[in-house]
Amino acid sequence: MHYISDLKFLISSLQGVARVRPNAWLRISGPDAAAFLQGQCTQDLRPLIEGQTAEALWLTNKGRILGESLVLRGDDDVWWLWSAHTSGDTLHARLEDFIIADDVTVSPEESRWEQITLAGASAEAWLREALGDREPPAPGTWQGLGGGMVFAGRRGLSRVWEWLRPHGDAPDGSAPRPPDSLGELSPTALHRARLAAGVPAIPGEFGPQDLPQEAGLETVAISFNKGCYLGQEVMARLHAMGQVRRRLLRVGGIGPAPAANVEIRQNDKRVGELRAVTDDGRDGWLGLALLNLLGLDSSASLVTADNHTVHTLDPIPS
């Protein structure tokens, strides 16, 4: 029996509201903030104006991934970094390590702000009303709301917004509150939708041993037209080569989910590993697997070390 999963349904069915402390929310300020960030991350930040955002990676000198973040351009000399999976401590340490004579201040703000994640059509309608009948921000932009910032921050997920706002009500009482009728957005539902979209958690599921191109991140978070940054030489070389030997693919199967990080084999040969896995809410499981492309036989079965049959849900690159 071939495994079939409705990946689009797992993404489009997200509904509700979740309130958590931000995983990473950093304020970067000072006269040198723009130039400093430009020289550290993979994205070209020069075109950004206030109210715009961009996905960026933070690499080692060998081009491996330390973290990812959304970069938000604030007013004057203020920038913000947000990440769903890379910790604020990791991003803070990464930036502080390279501040030498730069007039820039990096301030972790996770404890002072709350993160409200809104998903689904009902949440979208409420958000539109809260924004004064304006459309909720599209990817690449943010809007002010209740003393905070609203943006589409969950890569790969549609109709999902993050509202970062200071703890407590705004002094003028202008901060609206999402009604309980919108329902609760569970971490499990977000996790399933993220894997269905093929988006790994960085660096927990894809990170220090991996290259951005192995997860297709060069199309969303890397500029090949900007100046120097840590890891740029490796990125340029891989861009010229045009192909990597490994690829992160969506996979799934029937029955109980296998263990994460388990080896995947084909014809008794190791061909990769399962990086992330969850049950699909029905009778099977889905996940992300990093597979070696060299010698991979698209017609032969893939099996985990704990004897689960693996079906690839993405085409295997030739």
Short mmCIF file of all heavy atoms in Angstrom, two decimals, residues 254-306:
data_model
loop_
_atom_site.label_atom_id
_atom_site.label_comp_id
_atom_site.label_asym_id
_atom_site.label_seq_id
_atom_site.Cartn_x
_atom_site.Cartn_y
_atom_site.Cartn_z
N ILE A 254 3.06 4.61 6.62
CA ILE A 254 1.83 4.09 7.22
C ILE A 254 2.13 3.56 8.62
O ILE A 254 3.19 2.99 8.87
CB ILE A 254 1.25 2.96 6.35
CG1 ILE A 254 0.94 3.50 4.95
CG2 ILE A 254 0.00 2.36 6.97
CD1 ILE A 254 0.65 2.42 3.94
N GLY A 255 1.17 3.76 9.54
CA GLY A 255 1.31 3.22 10.88
C GLY A 255 2.03 4.16 11.83
O GLY A 255 2.21 5.35 11.55
N PRO A 256 2.47 3.62 12.99
CA PRO A 256 3.16 4.44 13.99
C PRO A 256 4.43 5.07 13.43
O PRO A 256 5.10 4.50 12.57
CB PRO A 256 3.48 3.44 15.12
CG PRO A 256 2.53 2.30 14.90
CD PRO A 256 2.31 2.22 13.43
N ALA A 257 4.76 6.23 13.95
CA ALA A 257 5.95 6.95 13.47
C ALA A 257 7.23 6.29 13.96
O ALA A 257 7.31 5.82 15.09
CB ALA A 257 5.90 8.39 13.94
N PRO A 258 8.27 6.26 13.12
CA PRO A 258 9.58 5.78 13.57
C PRO A 258 10.23 6.81 14.48
O PRO A 258 9.71 7.92 14.66
CB PRO A 258 10.35 5.62 12.25
CG PRO A 258 9.72 6.59 11.33
CD PRO A 258 8.27 6.64 11.70
N ALA A 259 11.37 6.47 15.03
CA ALA A 259 12.11 7.40 15.87
C ALA A 259 12.78 8.46 15.00
O ALA A 259 13.15 8.20 13.85
CB ALA A 259 13.15 6.65 16.69
N ALA A 260 12.93 9.66 15.56
CA ALA A 260 13.67 10.70 14.86
C ALA A 260 15.16 10.37 14.86
O ALA A 260 15.64 9.64 15.73
CB ALA A 260 13.43 12.05 15.51
N ASN A 261 15.87 10.90 13.88
CA ASN A 261 17.32 10.72 13.75
C ASN A 261 17.74 9.28 13.46
O ASN A 261 18.91 8.93 13.61
CB ASN A 261 18.05 11.23 15.00
CG ASN A 261 17.78 12.70 15.26
OD1 ASN A 261 17.81 13.52 14.34
ND2 ASN A 261 17.47 13.03 16.50
N VAL A 262 16.79 8.45 13.05
CA VAL A 262 17.12 7.07 12.73
C VAL A 262 17.69 6.98 11.32
O VAL A 262 17.36 7.78 10.44
CB VAL A 262 15.87 6.17 12.87
CG1 VAL A 262 14.85 6.48 11.78
CG2 VAL A 262 16.23 4.70 12.86
N GLU A 263 18.56 6.03 11.09
CA GLU A 263 19.19 5.83 9.79
C GLU A 263 18.18 5.32 8.77
O GLU A 263 17.27 4.55 9.10
CB GLU A 263 20.33 4.83 9.95
CG GLU A 263 21.15 4.57 8.73
CD GLU A 263 22.28 3.59 9.00
OE1 GLU A 263 23.34 4.01 9.50
OE2 GLU A 263 22.09 2.38 8.74
N ILE A 264 18.33 5.76 7.51
CA ILE A 264 17.51 5.26 6.41
C ILE A 264 18.41 4.47 5.47
O ILE A 264 19.52 4.91 5.12
CB ILE A 264 16.83 6.41 5.66
CG1 ILE A 264 15.85 7.14 6.59
CG2 ILE A 264 16.08 5.90 4.43
CD1 ILE A 264 15.20 8.36 5.96
N ARG A 265 17.94 3.29 5.05
CA ARG A 265 18.75 2.41 4.21
C ARG A 265 18.00 2.04 2.93
O ARG A 265 16.77 2.07 2.87
CB ARG A 265 19.11 1.13 4.99
CG ARG A 265 19.84 1.41 6.30
CD ARG A 265 20.28 0.12 6.99
NE ARG A 265 21.31 -0.59 6.23
CZ ARG A 265 22.61 -0.30 6.31
NH1 ARG A 265 23.04 0.67 7.09
NH2 ARG A 265 23.48 -0.99 5.59
N GLN A 266 18.79 1.69 1.91
CA GLN A 266 18.25 1.20 0.65
C GLN A 266 19.18 0.10 0.15
O GLN A 266 20.38 0.31 0.02
CB GLN A 266 18.16 2.33 -0.37
CG GLN A 266 17.48 1.93 -1.68
CD GLN A 266 17.41 3.09 -2.66
OE1 GLN A 266 18.42 3.51 -3.20
NE2 GLN A 266 16.20 3.59 -2.89
N ASN A 267 18.59 -1.06 -0.10
CA ASN A 267 19.40 -2.21 -0.52
C ASN A 267 20.56 -2.46 0.45
O ASN A 267 21.71 -2.68 0.04
CB ASN A 267 19.93 -2.01 -1.94
CG ASN A 267 18.81 -1.87 -2.96
OD1 ASN A 267 17.75 -2.50 -2.83
ND2 ASN A 267 19.04 -1.05 -3.98
N ASP A 268 20.25 -2.38 1.76
CA ASP A 268 21.23 -2.62 2.83
C ASP A 268 22.36 -1.61 2.86
O ASP A 268 23.41 -1.86 3.46
CB ASP A 268 21.82 -4.04 2.71
CG ASP A 268 20.78 -5.12 2.95
OD1 ASP A 268 19.89 -4.87 3.80
OD2 ASP A 268 20.84 -6.17 2.29
N LYS A 269 22.16 -0.46 2.24
CA LYS A 269 23.16 0.60 2.25
C LYS A 269 22.57 1.86 2.87
O LYS A 269 21.43 2.23 2.58
CB LYS A 269 23.62 0.89 0.81
CG LYS A 269 24.62 2.02 0.70
CD LYS A 269 24.94 2.29 -0.76
CE LYS A 269 25.88 3.49 -0.91
NZ LYS A 269 26.16 3.81 -2.33
N ARG A 270 23.37 2.49 3.74
CA ARG A 270 22.91 3.73 4.36
C ARG A 270 22.81 4.84 3.31
O ARG A 270 23.77 5.11 2.59
CB ARG A 270 23.87 4.19 5.45
CG ARG A 270 23.38 5.41 6.24
CD ARG A 270 24.46 5.92 7.18
NE ARG A 270 23.96 6.96 8.06
CZ ARG A 270 23.78 8.24 7.72
NH1 ARG A 270 24.08 8.63 6.48
NH2 ARG A 270 23.30 9.12 8.58
N VAL A 271 21.63 5.48 3.22
CA VAL A 271 21.43 6.54 2.24
C VAL A 271 20.97 7.85 2.87
O VAL A 271 20.74 8.83 2.16
CB VAL A 271 20.41 6.10 1.16
CG1 VAL A 271 20.97 4.96 0.33
CG2 VAL A 271 19.07 5.75 1.78
N GLY A 272 20.84 7.87 4.19
CA GLY A 272 20.42 9.12 4.82
C GLY A 272 19.89 8.88 6.22
O GLY A 272 20.11 7.83 6.82
N GLU A 273 19.20 9.90 6.73
CA GLU A 273 18.64 9.80 8.07
C GLU A 273 17.36 10.62 8.18
O GLU A 273 17.17 11.60 7.44
CB GLU A 273 19.65 10.28 9.12
CG GLU A 273 20.04 11.73 8.99
CD GLU A 273 21.10 12.11 10.00
OE1 GLU A 273 21.57 11.24 10.74
OE2 GLU A 273 21.45 13.32 10.04
N LEU A 274 16.50 10.18 9.08
CA LEU A 274 15.24 10.87 9.33
C LEU A 274 15.50 11.99 10.33
O LEU A 274 15.84 11.72 11.48
CB LEU A 274 14.21 9.88 9.87
CG LEU A 274 12.76 10.33 9.96
CD1 LEU A 274 12.22 10.65 8.57
CD2 LEU A 274 11.92 9.24 10.62
N ARG A 275 15.35 13.22 9.90
CA ARG A 275 15.70 14.37 10.75
C ARG A 275 14.54 14.82 11.65
O ARG A 275 14.76 15.36 12.73
CB ARG A 275 16.15 15.54 9.87
CG ARG A 275 17.53 15.34 9.26
CD ARG A 275 18.60 15.36 10.34
NE ARG A 275 19.94 15.27 9.80
CZ ARG A 275 20.67 16.30 9.39
NH1 ARG A 275 20.17 17.53 9.45
NH2 ARG A 275 21.88 16.12 8.93
N ALA A 276 13.31 14.65 11.19
CA ALA A 276 12.15 15.08 11.96
C ALA A 276 10.98 14.18 11.62
O ALA A 276 10.87 13.69 10.50
CB ALA A 276 11.80 16.53 11.65
N VAL A 277 10.10 13.96 12.58
CA VAL A 277 8.98 13.05 12.35
C VAL A 277 7.84 13.37 13.30
O VAL A 277 8.05 13.86 14.41
CB VAL A 277 9.43 11.58 12.53
CG1 VAL A 277 9.84 11.30 13.97
CG2 VAL A 277 8.36 10.61 12.06
N THR A 278 6.60 13.14 12.84
CA THR A 278 5.42 13.28 13.67
C THR A 278 4.32 12.42 13.08
O THR A 278 4.37 12.06 11.89
CB THR A 278 4.94 14.75 13.73
OG1 THR A 278 3.85 14.86 14.64
CG2 THR A 278 4.48 15.24 12.37
N ASP A 279 3.33 12.05 13.90
CA ASP A 279 2.17 11.38 13.32
C ASP A 279 1.39 12.40 12.52
O ASP A 279 1.43 13.60 12.79
CB ASP A 279 1.30 10.76 14.42
CG ASP A 279 0.56 11.81 15.23
OD1 ASP A 279 -0.55 12.19 14.85
OD2 ASP A 279 1.13 12.26 16.26
N ASP A 280 0.68 11.93 11.51
CA ASP A 280 -0.01 12.87 10.62
C ASP A 280 -1.45 13.15 11.05
O ASP A 280 -2.21 13.78 10.31
CB ASP A 280 0.03 12.38 9.17
CG ASP A 280 -0.72 11.07 8.96
OD1 ASP A 280 -1.35 10.57 9.92
OD2 ASP A 280 -0.65 10.54 7.84
N GLY A 281 -1.84 12.66 12.23
CA GLY A 281 -3.19 12.89 12.73
C GLY A 281 -4.21 11.93 12.17
O GLY A 281 -5.40 12.03 12.49
N ARG A 282 -3.76 11.00 11.35
CA ARG A 282 -4.67 10.01 10.75
C ARG A 282 -4.13 8.62 11.06
O ARG A 282 -4.09 8.21 12.20
CB ARG A 282 -4.83 10.28 9.26
CG ARG A 282 -5.44 11.67 8.98
CD ARG A 282 -5.60 11.95 7.50
NE ARG A 282 -6.24 13.23 7.29
CZ ARG A 282 -6.49 13.77 6.10
NH1 ARG A 282 -6.14 13.11 5.00
NH2 ARG A 282 -7.08 14.95 6.00
N ASP A 283 -3.70 7.90 10.04
CA ASP A 283 -3.20 6.54 10.24
C ASP A 283 -1.74 6.40 9.85
O ASP A 283 -1.29 5.29 9.55
CB ASP A 283 -4.05 5.54 9.44
CG ASP A 283 -5.50 5.55 9.88
OD1 ASP A 283 -5.73 5.60 11.10
OD2 ASP A 283 -6.38 5.51 9.00
N GLY A 284 -1.01 7.50 9.82
CA GLY A 284 0.37 7.41 9.37
C GLY A 284 1.24 8.46 10.01
O GLY A 284 0.89 9.05 11.04
N TRP A 285 2.37 8.71 9.38
CA TRP A 285 3.33 9.69 9.88
C TRP A 285 3.95 10.45 8.72
O TRP A 285 3.88 10.00 7.57
CB TRP A 285 4.43 8.99 10.70
CG TRP A 285 5.21 7.94 9.94
CD1 TRP A 285 4.90 6.61 9.82
CD2 TRP A 285 6.40 8.14 9.17
NE1 TRP A 285 5.83 5.97 9.03
CE2 TRP A 285 6.77 6.88 8.62
CE3 TRP A 285 7.22 9.24 8.91
CZ2 TRP A 285 7.91 6.71 7.82
CZ3 TRP A 285 8.34 9.08 8.11
CH2 TRP A 285 8.68 7.82 7.59
N LEU A 286 4.53 11.57 9.01
CA LEU A 286 5.27 12.32 8.01
C LEU A 286 6.50 12.93 8.67
O LEU A 286 6.57 13.05 9.89
CB LEU A 286 4.40 13.39 7.34
CG LEU A 286 3.85 14.53 8.21
CD1 LEU A 286 4.78 15.73 8.18
CD2 LEU A 286 2.47 14.94 7.72
N GLY A 287 7.47 13.28 7.84
CA GLY A 287 8.70 13.82 8.40
C GLY A 287 9.59 14.43 7.33
O GLY A 287 9.18 14.62 6.18
N LEU A 288 10.81 14.73 7.74
CA LEU A 288 11.83 15.26 6.85
C LEU A 288 13.04 14.36 6.92
O LEU A 288 13.51 14.00 8.01
CB LEU A 288 12.23 16.68 7.27
CG LEU A 288 11.13 17.74 7.27
CD1 LEU A 288 11.66 19.06 7.83
CD2 LEU A 288 10.57 17.94 5.86
N ALA A 289 13.55 13.97 5.76
CA ALA A 289 14.72 13.09 5.70
C ALA A 289 15.80 13.74 4.85
O ALA A 289 15.53 14.29 3.77
CB ALA A 289 14.35 11.74 5.11
N LEU A 290 17.04 13.66 5.32
CA LEU A 290 18.18 14.12 4.55
C LEU A 290 18.76 12.90 3.83
O LEU A 290 19.27 11.98 4.47
CB LEU A 290 19.23 14.76 5.45
CG LEU A 290 20.38 15.46 4.72
CD1 LEU A 290 19.85 16.67 3.95
CD2 LEU A 290 21.46 15.88 5.69
N LEU A 291 18.65 12.89 2.50
CA LEU A 291 19.05 11.73 1.71
C LEU A 291 20.25 12.04 0.82
O LEU A 291 20.35 13.15 0.26
CB LEU A 291 17.88 11.28 0.82
CG LEU A 291 16.60 10.82 1.56
CD1 LEU A 291 15.53 10.47 0.54
CD2 LEU A 291 16.88 9.63 2.47
N ASN A 292 21.14 11.07 0.69
CA ASN A 292 22.26 11.17 -0.24
C ASN A 292 21.76 10.91 -1.65
O ASN A 292 21.17 9.85 -1.92
CB ASN A 292 23.34 10.16 0.13
CG ASN A 292 23.89 10.39 1.51
OD1 ASN A 292 24.14 11.53 1.89
ND2 ASN A 292 24.08 9.33 2.28
N LEU A 293 21.99 11.84 -2.55
CA LEU A 293 21.47 11.71 -3.91
C LEU A 293 22.31 10.77 -4.76
O LEU A 293 21.78 10.11 -5.67
CB LEU A 293 21.41 13.09 -4.57
CG LEU A 293 20.52 14.14 -3.87
CD1 LEU A 293 20.56 15.44 -4.64
CD2 LEU A 293 19.09 13.63 -3.73
N LEU A 294 23.61 10.67 -4.50
CA LEU A 294 24.47 9.82 -5.30
C LEU A 294 24.13 8.35 -5.08
O LEU A 294 24.17 7.84 -3.96
CB LEU A 294 25.94 10.06 -4.94
CG LEU A 294 26.48 11.46 -5.28
CD1 LEU A 294 27.93 11.58 -4.84
CD2 LEU A 294 26.34 11.74 -6.76
N GLY A 295 23.77 7.69 -6.14
CA GLY A 295 23.47 6.27 -6.05
C GLY A 295 22.09 5.94 -5.54
O GLY A 295 21.75 4.77 -5.38
N LEU A 296 21.25 6.95 -5.28
CA LEU A 296 19.90 6.69 -4.79
C LEU A 296 19.04 6.16 -5.93
O LEU A 296 18.97 6.75 -7.00
CB LEU A 296 19.30 7.97 -4.21
CG LEU A 296 18.06 7.82 -3.34
CD1 LEU A 296 18.39 7.05 -2.07
CD2 LEU A 296 17.48 9.19 -2.98
N ASP A 297 18.39 5.04 -5.70
CA ASP A 297 17.56 4.38 -6.72
C ASP A 297 16.10 4.73 -6.45
O ASP A 297 15.52 4.29 -5.46
CB ASP A 297 17.78 2.87 -6.65
CG ASP A 297 17.01 2.13 -7.73
OD1 ASP A 297 16.22 2.77 -8.47
OD2 ASP A 297 17.20 0.90 -7.83
N SER A 298 15.51 5.52 -7.33
CA SER A 298 14.13 5.97 -7.12
C SER A 298 13.12 4.83 -7.20
O SER A 298 11.97 4.98 -6.77
CB SER A 298 13.76 7.05 -8.15
OG SER A 298 13.88 6.55 -9.47
N SER A 299 13.53 3.69 -7.73
CA SER A 299 12.60 2.55 -7.86
C SER A 299 12.71 1.56 -6.71
O SER A 299 11.90 0.65 -6.59
CB SER A 299 12.87 1.82 -9.18
OG SER A 299 14.16 1.23 -9.19
N ALA A 300 13.73 1.71 -5.85
CA ALA A 300 13.93 0.76 -4.74
C ALA A 300 13.37 1.33 -3.45
O ALA A 300 13.30 2.55 -3.26
CB ALA A 300 15.42 0.46 -4.59
N SER A 301 12.98 0.46 -2.54
CA SER A 301 12.36 0.86 -1.29
C SER A 301 13.37 1.49 -0.34
O SER A 301 14.56 1.14 -0.33
CB SER A 301 11.73 -0.36 -0.60
OG SER A 301 10.71 -0.91 -1.40
N LEU A 302 12.88 2.42 0.46
CA LEU A 302 13.64 3.02 1.55
C LEU A 302 13.08 2.50 2.86
O LEU A 302 11.86 2.45 3.04
CB LEU A 302 13.54 4.55 1.51
CG LEU A 302 14.14 5.26 0.29
CD1 LEU A 302 13.73 6.72 0.29
CD2 LEU A 302 15.66 5.14 0.30
N VAL A 303 13.96 2.13 3.78
CA VAL A 303 13.53 1.55 5.06
C VAL A 303 14.37 2.15 6.18
O VAL A 303 15.59 2.29 6.05
CB VAL A 303 13.69 0.01 5.05
CG1 VAL A 303 13.20 -0.57 6.37
CG2 VAL A 303 12.94 -0.60 3.88
N THR A 304 13.72 2.49 7.29
CA THR A 304 14.46 3.00 8.44
C THR A 304 15.13 1.84 9.18
O THR A 304 14.77 0.67 9.00
CB THR A 304 13.54 3.73 9.42
OG1 THR A 304 12.62 2.80 9.98
CG2 THR A 304 12.80 4.87 8.74
N ALA A 305 16.10 2.19 10.03
CA ALA A 305 16.81 1.17 10.80
C ALA A 305 15.88 0.45 11.76
O ALA A 305 16.16 -0.69 12.16
CB ALA A 305 17.97 1.81 11.57
N ASP A 306 14.76 1.08 12.14
CA ASP A 306 13.78 0.40 12.99
C ASP A 306 12.63 -0.18 12.17
O ASP A 306 11.52 -0.39 12.65
CB ASP A 306 13.27 1.30 14.11
CG ASP A 306 12.73 2.63 13.61
OD1 ASP A 306 12.79 2.89 12.39
OD2 ASP A 306 12.24 3.42 14.44
#
